[in-house]
Each structure stands twice: as C-alpha cells, then as structure tokens.
Amino acid sequence: MSVRPVYLDNNATTRVDPRVVEAMLPYFTEQFGNPSSMHAFGAKVGGSVREAREKLQALLGAAHDHEIVFTSGGTESDNAALISALEANPLRAEIITSVVEHPAILSACEHLAKTRGAKVHHIGVDAHGRLDIEAYRKALSDKTAIVSFMWANNETGTINPISELAGLAKDAGALFHTDAVQAVGKIPIDLRNTPVDMLSLSGHKLHGPKGIGALYVRRGTRFKSMLKGGHQERGRRAGTENTPGIIGLGVAAEIAHQNLESDMPRIAALRDRLEKSLLQRVGNAFVTGDPHARLPNTTSIAFEYIEGEAILLLLNRAGIAASSGSACTSGSLEPSHVMRAMGIPYTAAHGAIRFSFSRENTKEDVDQVLEVMPDIIARLRELSPFWSGEGPSTGAFQPTYA
Amino acid sequence: MWDYTDKVKEYFFEPKNAGVLSDANAIGEVGAIACGDALKLMLKVDPGTERIENAKFQTFGCGSAIASSSALTELVIGKTLDEALKLTNADIADFLGGLPPEKMHCSVMGYEALQAAVANYRGEEWADDHEEGALICKCFGVDEGMLETAIRVNKLTTLEMVTFYTKAGGSCATCLEAIEGVLARSNEKMVAEGIIPAEAAFVAGQVEVSGVIRKPQAAKAPAPVSDDFVPLDIFNEEIRAAAPQPKLTTFQRIKLIEDVIEEVRPALQRDGGDCELVDVDGNNVMLKLTGACINCQLSAMTVAGVQERLVERTRLPIRVIPVKAPGH
C-alpha cells in the first residue's frame, strides 16, 4: 500500500526541522561538556546555551534573556508555575483557571487542591469556547494567587484575549500565567508589552525536539523552584541542562521567528480552503471554536451522527493523519472536556475531527483530504443508526441508554 | 493507535451485514451515552423454528464498535433464539481475536443489543442494568461502576478484598492508587448511609501501597469481610498446586460439580438469589441463575466466582455458561 502520507496533526507534535537536527548533533558528540564546568569543554557549550536563550527571547519578545528558564516541556512548565505561585504567595491560596485547559493545568490544579488546600475556580466558556469574562472578574480577589488561562486552545485553536485577561489579574494583585504551548511559533507574541508573569512553551510543537520546553518568568516575579538540586537556570530549575534539546529549541525558535509573518497567512489560507470545501461537500458538519479568534493552523470540524475514531481509521488508511475529540481515541469513554464545555451535543462531539497544519503542509495535502473525506463520512453515516438516506433519522432511533 | 487485531480491522473496514434489514421482526436498540456508542440490531426470525435467518446492524461508534456489531450478526445468523441468547460478550470478543480492555464495552453493547432484540421479538420489555464508568484496571477491564457495585454489595473495605472480588489491580498493579480512591469514596458513602461502621472504612494513605503487592500467602488467607465468603486466592500458585489432582470418571466429575454448586447455593440464597445446574457438556457447565441473581449487576461476577471454585476443586478447565431456561 503506497499512499502519500499527509500529516495534519501538528498540534499533537511536529516533525523536527532538519536544520534543528543538524544543529543538535554535535552536542551529543564532541560538544558533550557540562555547561556548568570550569574547563573548555563546558565553556563552549555554555556559550551555545546562551545563544539559544537569546533566540527564544526574540521569538517571545521578552525584555531579558534570563527571564527564560529551560524545562523538560509544557507539562513541567505548567506545574512549576502553579506550584511556585502558591509557595511564593502564602497569603493567597486560590487559583483561577478555565474548564478547557490542558490536563497539565487541570490535573495539577486538582492535585494542589487536594494536597495544599488550594481553592480552584474553573471559568466556563460559551458555545464558541470563549471565556466567561464576567465570571472571571467575580472570581478574582485578594485571595487569588495565580490566574492561568491558555493562550490558544489545542483542540479548537480558539485564542484567548491574553492582554485583557492578564490586565485584570494584575489589577487584583494576582500572578498571571499562560499555557502558550499551542501559540508560540504560530502567532506573534510580544511579552515586553503583555502583562503576563509566566508563560509555558514546548519545543516539539514548533518543529523542535521533544523533552525540551521553557517557562518564561518575568523579571521581578517571585519564583520558587519546583525541582530541588543544583544551581542551574539561576537556581530556578535544578538538573544538568539538556544541552542538545536547548540548542534544538533555540534553532527551532529562530526559524519560527524568521518565518512567522510569511507562514501565518499561507497556513491560514490552506486551512480555510480545507474548511470551506469540506463544509461545502459534507452536510451536517460545523466548525467548533471561535471563528473570529483562532490559530491560523487549526480547524476542528464536528461531523454529526458518526464517531471520530472510525473517521480517523479510514483517514489513516488513506494516508492522512488527524486527531479527534472523540472518547474512543483516548480510552476515557467520554468525549473531550473541551467539546463538553462548549455544550456540543454528544452525537457531534464524538465526531469532531481536528486538522492542524504546519509550515510543511501543501496544497496537495488539502486536495488529498478533500478527495477522500466526503466518501468516508458518507460511508460511516450509512452505518449509523442516527442517519437514514440523506439526513438524520430524527426521533426514529431511540436506544435504551445505559 | 489501538492495538486492533487483523480480524477487528477486517470487520471494521469491510463490515459484513451492515445496513437496514427491512423485513426485520426483532429489533434491539441500545447505547451508552457516556461512550457515545449506539447500536441497532435487526433480526429476521422464522416464527416456526425461532431460527435467526438474517441479521443486519447499524452502529454509531468507533472501529471496534462497528467490528463487534458485525461480528455479532455473523455469530447469530443460523442460530435459534435460545442458542443465540447463550452468546456472551466474550464470544464476540473471541470471534474478533480479542479487543483492547478499553474496548470491551463494545462487545458488551453487542450482547445487550441481542438481548434487547430477542426481548423485542418476544414482546418483553428489556431494561439495561449495565453501568459504565472510567476504566480503572486495564488488565482485567474493570471500570469504576463495577468496582463501586462490588464494594457496596459485598461491603469491601480493603484493597486486597477488592482485588479478590473483581481481579482489579491483580496484574500490573499500576491502578492500585485509583482503586484506593474508589474504595475510599465508596466506603465514605457507605459509612454515611450506615452500611458499614466508620472504623471499618478504608481511608486512602493509611496502608503502605508497596505492601499491597501480592505475596504468597499459603499459610494465611486474608480475613473475609462476611462469613459467607471464602476468598479464592486465584493468584496463589501454591494453593493451586496443593489441591488434589483427581482422575475422575464422567459420573464422578458431574457429581463433584453438583457438590460444588450445592456448596455455593447457601451464599447466593442469603442474598435472595439461587442457581441451578442445568447441564454438563464436557467441561462446559450450564448454570441457571434464579431469584435475585437474575438481572443482578453482579451476576457476571457470581458466574466467574462459581467457575473459579469449580476449576479449583475439579482441576479441570471448567467454563460456566449462564443459561436462561433449564434444558432446550
């Protein structure tokens, strides 16, 4: 079977750019030194780490390179930010976050509520995934230690108004953290002029390697290190630096920064064509998320009356990689918490398919999806008891539910 | 990506008997709202012989749900209704060469659709009593609802007993913390309802989890929670090895099976249930559950428990098959 592979699951992970791989390789071999060492082996590596930090600083628009702390990835950064906020502000024990955050935030909050008695406010969203700003305002108080809202949602691509949200937190004297794992490298970020105190990012979402990420900590923010150990990263993240990863992330950030302006409209055009054409060719389908504030690379389309995993299996056979908010792909038996939070009916939530682009996608990729998708949907609907002929079989099928 | 067998893939990509059966006279419609699966099973039953002449399905669900539905239709065509009713979800999974534990509920949905379709044909009302929750033990496919029921009905208060009753946590043991959570929550509710005393309740964090990993316990069986239950240490090879190795005639074998069934009946009767030995065919033991056992959510566990005891006593690969009517 030789189908042309089409990778449209870039919000899950991206291909490491060959230039990134090439830059990393020497740090596994001759440049193996520990940057903390006094000798020449270490000194050279230390210089390269500094350059990588500056490249990431440029991509984020951060004022200082020492505001960047390298970590193992988005999850570590998220955990470190929340834990530090509680430890550094003993008089404030409340966290405000949203119902559509990544599990790295939601699970960490749940744990902190259980182990440290933190009170967690979960702010809801509307049908387009937009935050309930009024509920957020009401939740803010002089007890709020930290607010954590994602910059962009991984499933729908919905972008939060981070400046406004961060401003409200500052007014209440609370720290503001954002999980920007899906935003960094996809949309412009200017931390000099955004009142964000902490920001999480991950290397492998922007054509960098896995196992490397960073936490931005604004200068002057009180920060307590989560990992105890050596003095690395100015005492904010113990453990010998993952130097090949850091070098790789630096190069990935540099490439993303250089190409961002030209990539964004090109990727958005591909995404828009796929979305429009699919909706034209397939009925009973709709886009989830906020169409007016969305990542340029992401579309999440809910196909009604069929189930996501079945769609993915058939897409996979046609060489196409995408992902789904359906229950069955996760083994959790429930549709994604993001779809549920937006109030998407379960017959549609289970059939939500996410296509996420990168700068490596082409017009041919879109063509290939358009070619097979209508047949896949039609075929599965033919199998569906909720469907008959050309439309939903409303009311006729009423199974006994467990 | 799920680790689907070739047979599952085959029945998903090229499903047999998919679509609408216009002359169906037995229709079963079931679904699991949490999982988003729904299945409509359509059968054409010959009224004279009660033989299933044709079967078709429509399924809203994942790859394994579609494959399970298709497998079900293949399994029932040509069988009489009584024969078809003996099928279990395990038969569907076996037909497909196995399903990932997270996907076993797909085969359960097939089993339920068949029950519903036969009830529909016979003009009966079919009520689903299957509960689902988050899958806790992936090795044995035990979900939260099943754990809660087992804990409540049997008044379980230790991790060990939960494993004995449900097998959950008995293999890789990575879910012990999750089981502890369910146990602690269930016990808390049971204390509030006065089902168990507060001092008996399990409280998470009060036992060393590392100490819970199964050790050989030939000398000492764990204390049973209620006097009618003798734990079966299915993990203990020593107990199995020590059991007598009888060479039985057919008569002796059936007599022994009868004796074992008689032994378990008092325990069932105490809970308002009962069982009856219907037939023995080779190593297959047909058992009819009666009284409160019918529609009991734990009937699968009861059957498994009887089977374990039969295997232990006879040293034979006995399989207990629950049947509805004595003889057929």
Side-chain angles (χ1 to χ4, degrees):
Chain A
M1 200 167 64
S2 63
V3 286
R4 179 176 167 271
V6 173
Y7 187 75
L8 286 169
D9 199 11
N10 289 282
N11 284 8
T13 194
T14 55
R15 187 172 82 106
V16 183
D17 191 294
R19 289 165 284 182
V20 170
V21 177
E22 201 187 339
M24 288 171 72
L25 288 176
Y27 294 86
F28 289 104
T29 52
E30 59 263 35
Q31 303 292 344
F32 64 87
N34 187 328
S36 302
S37 301
M38 289 306 296
H39 46 65
F41 291 92
K44 188 125 189 274
V45 178
S48 306
V49 168
R50 193 165 51 246
E51 280 169 33
R53 204 183 300 277
E54 285 163 4
K55 287 170 185 165
L56 193 52
Q57 177 199 353
L59 177 65
L60 298 178
H64 309 279
D65 68 345
H66 59 74
E67 292 174 322
I68 286 156
V69 180
F70 287 113
T71 67
S72 65
T75 298
E76 184 192 325
S77 298
D78 285 347
N79 275 262
L82 295 175
I83 288 170
S84 167
L86 290 182
E87 281 195 5
N89 300 282
L91 298 177
R92 292 167 173 252
E94 293 189 9
I95 300 173
I96 299 176
T97 186
S98 83
V99 290
V100 294
E101 296 297 312
H102 190 275
I105 290 290
L106 292 177
S107 301
C109 283
E110 198 183 315
H111 181 73
L112 291 171
K114 212 157 73 181
T115 57
R116 299 187 195 216
K119 185 175 173 194
V120 184
H121 301 265
H122 291 97
I123 307 301
V125 297
D126 68 8
H128 292 290
R130 292 175 298 213
L131 280 177
D132 181 346
I133 306 272
E134 260 326 290
Y136 170 41
R137 279 180 199 274
K138 279 187 197 140
L140 277 167
S141 74
D142 58 2
K143 292 273 175 285
T144 313
I146 185 168
V147 177
S148 181
F149 289 133
M150 64 203 332
W151 199 305
N153 185 269
N154 48 313
E155 288 188 32
T156 62
T158 300
I159 296 173
N160 278 325
I162 288 299
S163 266
E164 182 193 341
L165 298 172
L168 289 171
K170 300 324 296 168
D171 293 345
L175 287 172
F176 189 87
H177 165 259
T178 180
D179 177 341
V181 162
Q182 294 294 348
V184 173
K186 291 180 189 147
I187 53 172
I189 286 177
D190 179 17
L191 289 177
R192 257 188 217 90
N193 299 305
T194 315
V196 164
D197 297 304
M198 291 188 274
L199 172 148
S200 303
L201 67 94
S202 172
H204 73 101
K205 306 285 192 192
L206 52 139
H207 302 282
K210 293 162 184 66
I212 187 73
L215 178 66
Y216 162 87
V217 184
R218 180 175 294 277
R219 185 172 168 269
T221 304
R222 280 206 285 167
F223 187 80
K224 301 271 187 188
S225 170
M226 179 172 72
L227 295 179
K228 312 300 174 200
H231 59 271
Q232 292 88 351
E233 300 295 285
R234 298 181 186 230
R236 291 169 301 175
R237 204 281 189 176
T240 298
E241 296 86 343
N242 171 5
T243 49
I246 290 170
I247 305 304
L249 176 53
V251 176
E254 185 179 33
I255 298 170
H257 193 212
Q258 282 164 0
N259 296 310
L260 192 57
E261 230 167 273
S262 59
D263 279 347
M264 276 206 327
R266 193 174 57 80
I267 292 171
L270 288 175
R271 188 267 317 264
D272 291 345
R273 189 164 83 85
L274 176 72
E275 195 173 276
K276 278 201 192 94
S277 307
L278 275 180
L279 293 182
Q280 268 168 14
R281 293 173 200 203
V282 180
N284 291 90
F286 58 91
V287 172
T288 73
D290 184 358
H292 304 295
R294 211 158 38 130
L295 290 175
N297 81 316
T298 308
T299 177
S300 164
I301 305 176
F303 297 95
E304 291 183 278
Y305 311 112
I306 49 178
E307 202 277 334
E309 188 203 290
I311 302 172
L312 293 184
L313 288 170
L314 290 168
L315 278 174
N316 183 54
R317 198 164 67 154
I320 298 159
S323 73
S324 159
S326 103
C328 290
T329 49
S330 62
S332 72
L333 299 184
E334 285 198 339
S336 98
H337 66 289
V338 178
M339 294 296 146
R340 275 184 293 153
M342 294 191 296
I344 309 278
Y346 84 95
T347 44
H350 283 286
I353 298 293
R354 178 188 71 186
F355 297 100
S356 48
F357 290 74
S358 80
R359 61 169 177 259
E360 298 186 341
N361 289 113
T362 61
K363 186 180 165 297
E364 286 70 37
D365 295 344
V366 174
D367 291 338
Q368 195 165 326
V369 178
L370 291 176
E371 203 180 302
V372 300
M373 199 66 176
D375 285 347
I376 289 176
I377 303 299
R379 179 194 165 131
L380 289 172
R381 279 187 178 156
E382 224 166 272
L383 286 179
S384 170
F386 292 106
W387 190 264
S388 71
E390 291 302 301
S393 59
T394 34
F397 180 66
Q398 291 184 334
T400 307
Y401 280 113
Chain B
M1 187 62 76
W2 297 107
D3 191 11
Y4 284 141
T5 63
D6 289 343
K7 198 89 182 262
V8 172
K9 287 182 202 156
E10 181 192 330
Y11 274 77
F12 166 68
F13 285 122
E14 308 298 336
K16 295 185 173 70
N17 311 316
V20 176
L21 187 62
S22 48
D23 57 348
N25 55 0
I27 295 176
E29 297 182 344
V30 294
I33 202 156
C35 171
D37 283 347
L39 162 60
K40 181 176 184 177
L41 177 69
M42 293 152 275
L43 306 177
K44 168 99 176 69
V45 182
D46 181 302
T49 59
E50 287 213 328
R51 196 167 289 281
I52 298 167
E53 294 178 328
N54 201 358
K56 285 202 166 199
F57 76 94
Q58 284 186 303
T59 294
F60 168 86
C62 55
S64 54
I66 289 170
S68 295
S69 308
S70 182
L72 170 67
T73 58
E74 289 279 277
L75 281 167
V76 299
I77 292 174
K79 285 196 169 65
T80 65
L81 292 184
D82 284 333
E83 286 166 353
L85 281 174
K86 279 189 220 155
L87 289 172
T88 66
N89 72 301
D91 293 319
I92 298 172
D94 289 349
F95 180 87
L96 292 168
L99 286 170
E102 290 89 343
K103 299 290 193 170
M104 282 303 284
H105 64 270
C106 294
S107 63
V108 173
M109 185 170 72
Y111 166 80
E112 291 173 348
L114 178 61
Q115 302 288 320
V118 175
N120 169 258
Y121 177 81
R122 292 178 170 166
E124 295 160 4
E125 193 68 35
W126 182 79
D128 178 41
D129 57 7
H130 176 75
E131 275 182 34
E132 275 184 358
L135 186 70
I136 303 277
C137 169
K138 296 193 174 184
C139 298
F140 293 116
V142 183
D143 64 33
E144 192 166 342
M146 217 172 139
L147 282 179
E148 277 170 8
T149 311
I151 291 166
R152 181 165 282 267
V153 172
N154 300 293
K155 300 188 178 72
L156 307 183
T157 53
T158 68
L159 205 49
E160 203 163 39
M161 295 313 295
V162 173
T163 302
F164 282 130
Y165 271 81
T166 65
K167 292 191 181 181
S171 183
C172 76
T174 54
C175 62
L176 289 181
E177 209 184 327
I179 299 175
E180 279 195 327
V182 177
L183 182 58
R185 278 198 299 279
S186 303
N187 276 187
E188 201 182 322
K189 276 187 235 161
M190 288 156 73
V191 169
E193 293 167 31
I195 297 172
I196 54 169
E199 59 272 21
F202 177 84
V203 180
Q206 296 207 340
V207 288
E208 271 181 69
V209 172
S210 62
V212 181
I213 308 298
R214 260 134 266 297
K215 288 172 281 191
Q217 301 174 325
K220 173 181 148 285
V225 279
S226 60
D227 51 6
D228 58 25
F229 176 75
V230 180
L232 293 164
D233 196 344
I234 55 171
F235 302 99
N236 194 325
E237 287 303 313
E238 283 178 51
I239 285 183
R240 290 195 161 186
Q245 188 75 49
K247 263 261 182 262
L248 301 172
T249 65
T250 304
F251 176 75
Q252 284 172 323
R253 191 183 71 221
I254 292 173
K255 184 78 182 59
L256 181 57
I257 289 168
E258 264 180 354
D259 290 348
V260 174
I261 303 278
E262 283 306 310
E263 282 170 30
V264 300
R265 284 183 64 202
L268 295 178
Q269 284 162 354
R270 230 164 296 172
D271 291 330
D274 204 347
C275 69
E276 188 184 317
L277 180 61
V278 175
D279 197 4
V280 178
D281 177 13
N283 287 323
N284 289 341
V285 173
M286 321 298 169
L287 194 68
K288 184 190 172 198
L289 295 177
T290 54
C293 289
I294 296 174
N295 295 329
C296 170
Q297 294 182 10
L298 287 169
S299 60
M301 260 176 255
T302 306
V303 169
V306 174
Q307 178 167 307
E308 285 291 346
R309 187 168 311 207
L310 283 168
V311 169
E312 188 172 285
R313 289 281 296 277
T314 61
R315 306 291 296 160
L316 290 168
I318 296 275
R319 185 163 178 235
V320 174
I321 299 166
V323 295
K324 292 257 147 138
H328 45 267

